[in-house]
Amino acid sequence: MPVITKADGTRLWARRTTAGDLATWFGWLLGVALTVVCFQFISEHTIWAFVWDAPRQAADLLERSVPPRWDYANQLWKPMWDTINIATLGTLLAILIAVPTAFLAAHNTTPSRALVRPIALFVIVASRSVNSLIWALILVIIFGPGMFAGILAIGLRSIGFIGKLLYEAIEEIDPTQVEAIRATGASGAQVLAWGIVPQIAPAFAGISVFRWDINIREATVLGLVGAGGIGLQLQASIGRLAWEQVSMILLLILATVIVSEWVSARVRHAII
Amino acid sequence: MLTIEGLTKRYPTGDLALDNVSLTVPKGQVMALIGPSGAGKSTLIRCVNRLVEPSSGRIVLGETELTRLGDLALRRARRRMGMIFQEYALIERLTVMENVLSGRLGYVGFWRSWFRRFPLADIEEAFRLLHRVGLDHMVDKRADALSGGQRQRVGIVRALMQNPELLLVDEPTASLDPKTSRQIMRLIVELAKERGLSAIINIHDVLLAQQFAERIVGLRAGRIVFDGAPDEMTPEVLTRIYGEEDWSKTIRRDEDDESEDGGPAAATDALKVVAAQ
């Protein structure tokens, strides 16, 4: 940045001026000092005896969880199936609402930038700002416990995720393809279907399957607040300190998540 | 057939792209529009089919005053104007056939087009035109699998599928190599002649313009500064359009290139005149 011309006319270049260099070093120093102060604060509020005890506690817990109670699995198939259904139906519900919302939110497809776009963006932000567990908590109060509350919770949280990524994809399309379709005399709906939809199809498929994959994981904990699925069994087992059941449930969740990851990877690969 | 009167376009940013342009293109005339980048060539042809809304002025196609049309009438009018683009503007993820049939969107209802149930006559016409441009074997290929020249042929066929009266051609050769450029220009001009279409072709390459167009209009900073036959192009004219530059040398080098290609006599004669000066 600074170019210094010496008396004999040769020009020197350095990345920063001397003052700039000092300021940068001071900034780093400040950062390190802040870290030390923070650590001291945390340390004062930690009961270190518990922390030093942690490895023993962990070993103890592990000992009580092993071996998993394999025959408990027979009682888990149904709740696991419920969990997958909650995730899938919730994702479908979210897609149904998120797709039109995304078109209303993208600045190149929205019917009104002054009115409709801010509303659509607000729907997306509102949905994203609340965790699905909290959505479930609220919905269980409204609709009572069960799968329905779970499906709605997953759906409401996913609208924001799918809507945001999809409207960004819509904003990134190549506008000349849209222009070309408009130039043929196509109607507004045809411009959408021919000029825009083919361009965002891969992104749409990728986003939806990715969200479904996330939802499988989120749906496993919804039972903690009574919104159906395997979380109910998890909570009950933890409550009764039945650790060999807990480990069985965790193993089953792990297996399901691996399968869903595999499925979503295959789908994305096939479409792109 | 196409009449432009006092066309002015000022963008919201304040840039004056077109300044009181008046122009008449008779039926069947192939006109080249040349000029430096930013002269308003693209804006001009986009004002004709109103992809860009003119600020003022009148544009009349046949009996239709395009600048006065409402949405529905404008869509009907756009069917009569085929457009060909610089970067082809094909729908990359659709097949060649789908891209070609998209030229019929103005004639087909939404659901028919959504389910790709185009009338038999359209499909026959698509096959006929694809055969005409030598793309028979590419019907089911995806557009992004084609080479530049092949894509532009698909773009041309799409425009012709509209059964237009006028072709609006925006830098058709800017992304192509010199040989393909000539083939594409030849194809556009031949097809326009076969069907008696008028054409406005924006083009950077002065030589291509001279070789293939019957009339050349020079645009500079949104105003028409030249309007004449290809053989009227002189270094003075080029200076008027593009600004001061040693034009004779540019043209001499291009002339060698041209002689191998065997361009029409008129264009070559014009070059000799230019080169002599």
Short mmCIF file of all heavy atoms in Angstrom, two decimals, chain B residues 218-254:
data_model
loop_
_atom_site.label_atom_id
_atom_site.label_comp_id
_atom_site.label_asym_id
_atom_site.label_seq_id
_atom_site.Cartn_x
_atom_site.Cartn_y
_atom_site.Cartn_z
N GLY B 218 -24.31 2.48 -38.58
CA GLY B 218 -23.29 2.66 -37.54
C GLY B 218 -23.87 3.47 -36.39
O GLY B 218 -24.49 4.51 -36.59
N LEU B 219 -23.67 2.94 -35.18
CA LEU B 219 -24.21 3.60 -34.00
C LEU B 219 -23.04 4.05 -33.15
O LEU B 219 -22.07 3.30 -32.96
CB LEU B 219 -25.06 2.58 -33.24
CG LEU B 219 -26.24 3.07 -32.41
CD1 LEU B 219 -27.22 3.84 -33.25
CD2 LEU B 219 -26.93 1.87 -31.77
N ARG B 220 -23.08 5.29 -32.67
CA ARG B 220 -22.04 5.74 -31.74
C ARG B 220 -22.71 6.57 -30.66
O ARG B 220 -23.43 7.52 -30.96
CB ARG B 220 -21.01 6.59 -32.48
CG ARG B 220 -19.91 7.04 -31.55
CD ARG B 220 -18.85 7.79 -32.29
NE ARG B 220 -17.73 8.05 -31.41
CZ ARG B 220 -16.64 8.66 -31.80
NH1 ARG B 220 -16.48 9.05 -33.05
NH2 ARG B 220 -15.66 8.87 -30.94
N ALA B 221 -22.47 6.17 -29.42
CA ALA B 221 -23.02 6.86 -28.26
C ALA B 221 -24.52 7.11 -28.42
O ALA B 221 -25.03 8.19 -28.12
CB ALA B 221 -22.29 8.17 -28.01
N GLY B 222 -25.24 6.10 -28.92
CA GLY B 222 -26.69 6.17 -28.97
C GLY B 222 -27.26 6.93 -30.15
O GLY B 222 -28.46 7.16 -30.22
N ARG B 223 -26.39 7.35 -31.10
CA ARG B 223 -26.90 8.06 -32.27
C ARG B 223 -26.44 7.33 -33.53
O ARG B 223 -25.36 6.74 -33.56
CB ARG B 223 -26.32 9.48 -32.34
CG ARG B 223 -26.90 10.43 -31.34
CD ARG B 223 -25.97 11.64 -31.24
NE ARG B 223 -26.51 12.60 -30.27
CZ ARG B 223 -27.37 13.56 -30.60
NH1 ARG B 223 -27.79 13.69 -31.86
NH2 ARG B 223 -27.82 14.38 -29.68
N ILE B 224 -27.26 7.42 -34.58
CA ILE B 224 -26.86 6.85 -35.87
C ILE B 224 -25.90 7.81 -36.55
O ILE B 224 -26.22 8.98 -36.76
CB ILE B 224 -28.10 6.60 -36.75
CG1 ILE B 224 -28.94 5.48 -36.13
CG2 ILE B 224 -27.67 6.23 -38.17
CD1 ILE B 224 -30.20 5.16 -36.90
N VAL B 225 -24.68 7.32 -36.83
CA VAL B 225 -23.69 8.19 -37.47
C VAL B 225 -23.38 7.74 -38.89
O VAL B 225 -22.63 8.39 -39.61
CB VAL B 225 -22.39 8.28 -36.65
CG1 VAL B 225 -22.64 9.02 -35.34
CG2 VAL B 225 -21.83 6.89 -36.37
N PHE B 226 -23.91 6.56 -39.27
CA PHE B 226 -23.70 6.10 -40.64
C PHE B 226 -24.87 5.22 -41.02
O PHE B 226 -25.37 4.44 -40.21
CB PHE B 226 -22.39 5.33 -40.75
CG PHE B 226 -22.21 4.66 -42.10
CD1 PHE B 226 -21.78 5.41 -43.20
CD2 PHE B 226 -22.49 3.31 -42.28
CE1 PHE B 226 -21.63 4.80 -44.44
CE2 PHE B 226 -22.34 2.71 -43.52
CZ PHE B 226 -21.91 3.46 -44.60
N ASP B 227 -25.31 5.33 -42.26
CA ASP B 227 -26.38 4.46 -42.75
C ASP B 227 -26.15 4.32 -44.25
O ASP B 227 -26.35 5.28 -44.99
CB ASP B 227 -27.74 5.09 -42.44
CG ASP B 227 -28.89 4.14 -42.80
OD1 ASP B 227 -28.62 3.11 -43.47
OD2 ASP B 227 -30.03 4.43 -42.43
N GLY B 228 -25.66 3.17 -44.68
CA GLY B 228 -25.40 3.05 -46.10
C GLY B 228 -25.09 1.62 -46.52
O GLY B 228 -25.24 0.68 -45.73
N ALA B 229 -24.68 1.46 -47.78
CA ALA B 229 -24.37 0.14 -48.32
C ALA B 229 -22.99 -0.29 -47.82
O ALA B 229 -22.18 0.55 -47.43
CB ALA B 229 -24.40 0.20 -49.84
N PRO B 230 -22.74 -1.61 -47.82
CA PRO B 230 -21.45 -2.10 -47.33
C PRO B 230 -20.26 -1.48 -48.08
O PRO B 230 -19.23 -1.23 -47.48
CB PRO B 230 -21.52 -3.60 -47.59
CG PRO B 230 -22.97 -3.91 -47.64
CD PRO B 230 -23.65 -2.70 -48.17
N ASP B 231 -20.43 -1.20 -49.39
CA ASP B 231 -19.28 -0.68 -50.13
C ASP B 231 -19.06 0.82 -49.90
O ASP B 231 -18.15 1.41 -50.47
CB ASP B 231 -19.38 -1.02 -51.62
CG ASP B 231 -20.69 -0.53 -52.21
OD1 ASP B 231 -21.42 0.19 -51.51
OD2 ASP B 231 -20.99 -0.91 -53.38
N GLU B 232 -19.88 1.42 -49.09
CA GLU B 232 -19.66 2.82 -48.74
C GLU B 232 -18.78 2.97 -47.50
O GLU B 232 -18.49 4.08 -47.05
CB GLU B 232 -21.00 3.53 -48.48
CG GLU B 232 -21.83 3.75 -49.74
CD GLU B 232 -23.23 4.23 -49.40
OE1 GLU B 232 -23.38 5.01 -48.44
OE2 GLU B 232 -24.18 3.79 -50.08
N MET B 233 -18.39 1.85 -46.92
CA MET B 233 -17.56 1.90 -45.71
C MET B 233 -16.15 2.33 -46.08
O MET B 233 -15.49 1.70 -46.89
CB MET B 233 -17.49 0.51 -45.05
CG MET B 233 -18.82 -0.03 -44.60
SD MET B 233 -19.43 0.80 -43.15
CE MET B 233 -18.26 0.23 -41.95
N THR B 234 -15.71 3.41 -45.47
CA THR B 234 -14.36 3.90 -45.71
C THR B 234 -13.71 4.12 -44.34
O THR B 234 -14.39 4.11 -43.33
CB THR B 234 -14.40 5.25 -46.44
OG1 THR B 234 -15.13 6.17 -45.62
CG2 THR B 234 -15.07 5.15 -47.80
N PRO B 235 -12.39 4.33 -44.33
CA PRO B 235 -11.75 4.63 -43.04
C PRO B 235 -12.39 5.83 -42.35
O PRO B 235 -12.51 5.86 -41.13
CB PRO B 235 -10.30 4.94 -43.43
CG PRO B 235 -10.08 4.14 -44.66
CD PRO B 235 -11.39 4.17 -45.40
N GLU B 236 -12.84 6.82 -43.16
CA GLU B 236 -13.50 7.98 -42.54
C GLU B 236 -14.76 7.56 -41.80
O GLU B 236 -15.04 8.02 -40.70
CB GLU B 236 -13.88 9.03 -43.61
CG GLU B 236 -12.71 9.81 -44.17
CD GLU B 236 -11.92 8.99 -45.18
OE1 GLU B 236 -12.49 8.66 -46.23
OE2 GLU B 236 -10.75 8.66 -44.91
N VAL B 237 -15.52 6.66 -42.46
CA VAL B 237 -16.76 6.20 -41.84
C VAL B 237 -16.45 5.45 -40.56
O VAL B 237 -17.08 5.67 -39.51
CB VAL B 237 -17.54 5.29 -42.82
CG1 VAL B 237 -18.67 4.56 -42.09
CG2 VAL B 237 -18.09 6.12 -43.97
N LEU B 238 -15.44 4.59 -40.62
CA LEU B 238 -15.08 3.81 -39.42
C LEU B 238 -14.62 4.73 -38.30
O LEU B 238 -14.92 4.51 -37.13
CB LEU B 238 -13.99 2.79 -39.77
CG LEU B 238 -14.52 1.59 -40.55
CD1 LEU B 238 -13.36 0.72 -41.02
CD2 LEU B 238 -15.47 0.76 -39.70
N THR B 239 -13.90 5.78 -38.68
CA THR B 239 -13.46 6.75 -37.68
C THR B 239 -14.66 7.44 -37.06
O THR B 239 -14.71 7.67 -35.85
CB THR B 239 -12.52 7.79 -38.32
OG1 THR B 239 -11.40 7.08 -38.87
CG2 THR B 239 -12.03 8.80 -37.30
N ARG B 240 -15.64 7.74 -37.92
CA ARG B 240 -16.84 8.39 -37.40
C ARG B 240 -17.56 7.49 -36.40
O ARG B 240 -18.10 7.93 -35.40
CB ARG B 240 -17.78 8.72 -38.58
CG ARG B 240 -18.56 10.01 -38.38
CD ARG B 240 -19.63 10.18 -39.44
NE ARG B 240 -19.15 10.04 -40.82
CZ ARG B 240 -19.94 9.67 -41.85
NH1 ARG B 240 -21.22 9.42 -41.64
NH2 ARG B 240 -19.45 9.56 -43.06
N ILE B 241 -17.56 6.18 -36.68
CA ILE B 241 -18.28 5.26 -35.81
C ILE B 241 -17.47 4.91 -34.56
O ILE B 241 -17.98 4.98 -33.44
CB ILE B 241 -18.65 3.96 -36.56
CG1 ILE B 241 -19.54 4.28 -37.76
CG2 ILE B 241 -19.35 2.97 -35.63
CD1 ILE B 241 -19.78 3.11 -38.69
N TYR B 242 -16.21 4.53 -34.78
CA TYR B 242 -15.45 3.97 -33.66
C TYR B 242 -14.46 4.96 -33.06
O TYR B 242 -13.93 4.72 -31.97
CB TYR B 242 -14.66 2.74 -34.12
CG TYR B 242 -15.54 1.56 -34.43
CD1 TYR B 242 -15.95 1.28 -35.73
CD2 TYR B 242 -15.98 0.72 -33.42
CE1 TYR B 242 -16.76 0.20 -36.02
CE2 TYR B 242 -16.78 -0.37 -33.69
CZ TYR B 242 -17.17 -0.63 -34.99
OH TYR B 242 -17.96 -1.70 -35.26
N GLY B 243 -14.14 6.03 -33.78
CA GLY B 243 -13.11 6.95 -33.31
C GLY B 243 -11.81 6.71 -34.07
O GLY B 243 -11.69 5.78 -34.87
N GLU B 244 -10.84 7.58 -33.79
CA GLU B 244 -9.58 7.60 -34.53
C GLU B 244 -8.81 6.29 -34.33
O GLU B 244 -8.65 5.82 -33.21
CB GLU B 244 -8.74 8.78 -34.03
CG GLU B 244 -7.70 9.27 -35.01
CD GLU B 244 -8.32 9.84 -36.28
OE1 GLU B 244 -9.19 10.74 -36.17
OE2 GLU B 244 -7.92 9.39 -37.36
N GLU B 245 -8.37 5.71 -35.44
CA GLU B 245 -7.54 4.50 -35.38
C GLU B 245 -7.01 4.28 -36.80
O GLU B 245 -7.59 4.79 -37.76
CB GLU B 245 -8.38 3.31 -34.91
CG GLU B 245 -7.66 1.99 -34.78
CD GLU B 245 -6.43 2.08 -33.92
OE1 GLU B 245 -6.55 2.29 -32.70
OE2 GLU B 245 -5.32 1.94 -34.48
N ASP B 246 -5.91 3.54 -36.90
CA ASP B 246 -5.36 3.28 -38.24
C ASP B 246 -6.17 2.15 -38.87
O ASP B 246 -5.84 0.97 -38.74
CB ASP B 246 -3.89 2.89 -38.11
CG ASP B 246 -3.25 2.75 -39.48
OD1 ASP B 246 -3.99 2.86 -40.49
OD2 ASP B 246 -2.04 2.55 -39.55
N TRP B 247 -7.21 2.49 -39.55
CA TRP B 247 -8.15 1.49 -40.06
C TRP B 247 -7.61 0.71 -41.24
O TRP B 247 -7.92 -0.47 -41.40
CB TRP B 247 -9.48 2.15 -40.44
CG TRP B 247 -10.17 2.72 -39.25
CD1 TRP B 247 -10.36 4.03 -38.96
CD2 TRP B 247 -10.72 1.98 -38.16
NE1 TRP B 247 -11.00 4.16 -37.76
CE2 TRP B 247 -11.23 2.92 -37.24
CE3 TRP B 247 -10.83 0.62 -37.87
CZ2 TRP B 247 -11.84 2.54 -36.06
CZ3 TRP B 247 -11.44 0.25 -36.70
CH2 TRP B 247 -11.93 1.20 -35.81
N SER B 248 -6.77 1.36 -42.07
CA SER B 248 -6.31 0.68 -43.28
C SER B 248 -5.55 -0.60 -42.93
O SER B 248 -5.74 -1.63 -43.56
CB SER B 248 -5.41 1.62 -44.09
OG SER B 248 -4.36 2.09 -43.28
N LYS B 249 -4.70 -0.51 -41.90
CA LYS B 249 -3.92 -1.69 -41.54
C LYS B 249 -4.81 -2.81 -41.04
O LYS B 249 -4.65 -3.97 -41.40
CB LYS B 249 -2.90 -1.33 -40.45
CG LYS B 249 -1.66 -0.67 -41.03
CD LYS B 249 -0.43 -1.10 -40.26
CE LYS B 249 0.83 -0.54 -40.89
NZ LYS B 249 1.31 0.66 -40.22
N THR B 250 -5.76 -2.48 -40.20
CA THR B 250 -6.68 -3.47 -39.67
C THR B 250 -7.37 -4.19 -40.82
O THR B 250 -7.49 -5.41 -40.86
CB THR B 250 -7.79 -2.79 -38.83
OG1 THR B 250 -7.18 -1.82 -38.02
CG2 THR B 250 -8.53 -3.80 -38.00
N ILE B 251 -7.78 -3.41 -41.78
CA ILE B 251 -8.53 -3.98 -42.89
C ILE B 251 -7.64 -4.81 -43.80
O ILE B 251 -8.04 -5.88 -44.24
CB ILE B 251 -9.25 -2.84 -43.65
CG1 ILE B 251 -10.41 -2.36 -42.78
CG2 ILE B 251 -9.78 -3.33 -44.99
CD1 ILE B 251 -11.02 -1.09 -43.23
N ARG B 252 -6.41 -4.36 -44.02
CA ARG B 252 -5.53 -5.14 -44.88
C ARG B 252 -5.31 -6.53 -44.31
O ARG B 252 -5.35 -7.51 -45.03
CB ARG B 252 -4.18 -4.41 -45.08
CG ARG B 252 -3.35 -5.02 -46.20
CD ARG B 252 -2.09 -4.21 -46.45
NE ARG B 252 -2.41 -2.86 -46.93
CZ ARG B 252 -1.81 -1.75 -46.48
NH1 ARG B 252 -0.88 -1.82 -45.54
NH2 ARG B 252 -2.13 -0.58 -46.96
N ARG B 253 -5.07 -6.58 -43.00
CA ARG B 253 -4.84 -7.89 -42.39
C ARG B 253 -6.09 -8.76 -42.54
O ARG B 253 -6.02 -9.92 -42.88
CB ARG B 253 -4.50 -7.75 -40.90
CG ARG B 253 -3.89 -9.01 -40.32
CD ARG B 253 -3.64 -8.86 -38.84
NE ARG B 253 -4.88 -8.71 -38.12
CZ ARG B 253 -5.06 -7.83 -37.12
NH1 ARG B 253 -4.08 -7.05 -36.76
NH2 ARG B 253 -6.22 -7.76 -36.50
N ASP B 254 -7.23 -8.17 -42.33
CA ASP B 254 -8.47 -8.92 -42.44
C ASP B 254 -8.73 -9.36 -43.88
O ASP B 254 -9.33 -10.39 -44.11
CB ASP B 254 -9.65 -8.06 -41.96
CG ASP B 254 -9.70 -8.04 -40.44
OD1 ASP B 254 -9.10 -8.96 -39.86
OD2 ASP B 254 -10.31 -7.13 -39.87
#
